Amino acid sequence: FHADWCSNCRFFENDIESNGVPENVRIVKVDYDKEASLRNIYGVTVQSTFVLLDSNGSVAEDWPFARGLSSINDLYEQI
């Protein structure tokens, strides 16, 4: 979940653009401010949250505030 005004979100957006995305990963940028229904569905309460979905679309893991991630590569290593 991303917000244009969020500095942490911008950091990760630039990091993703610089490092690319592995073939087995799909990243979907969801506007935190505009998509309240998706925030509710996935239990997101803060911007700069990554949500990993399983094959059924259920939350397998999440990283609010990108907790514990210093780069997008940290996320890739965990999934």
Side-chain angles (χ1 to χ4, degrees):
F1 284 78
H2 178 275
D4 289 335
W5 48 266
C6 167
S7 60
N8 201 32
C9 298
R10 288 191 308 267
F11 167 79
F12 277 98
E13 181 175 29
N14 291 335
D15 199 29
I16 291 166
E17 289 173 2
S18 295
N19 288 295
V21 179
E23 287 183 24
N24 64 332
V25 175
R26 181 187 303 174
I27 295 182
V28 177
K29 184 169 129 179
V30 177
D31 190 310
Y32 178 85
D33 295 315
K34 293 180 181 175
E35 298 296 341
S37 62
L38 287 177
R39 287 196 327 252
N40 291 332
I41 289 169
Y42 295 112
V44 173
T45 58
V46 296
Q47 72 287 348
S48 188
T49 296
F50 288 96
V51 178
L52 176 65
L53 303 179
D54 65 19
S55 60
N56 296 319
S58 298
V59 176
E61 191 165 356
D62 65 356
W63 295 266
F65 285 119
R67 173 189 73 243
L69 304 176
S70 60
S71 77
I72 196 61
N73 289 323
D74 290 346
L75 177 69
Y76 297 155
E77 289 173 9
Q78 293 184 36
I79 56 175

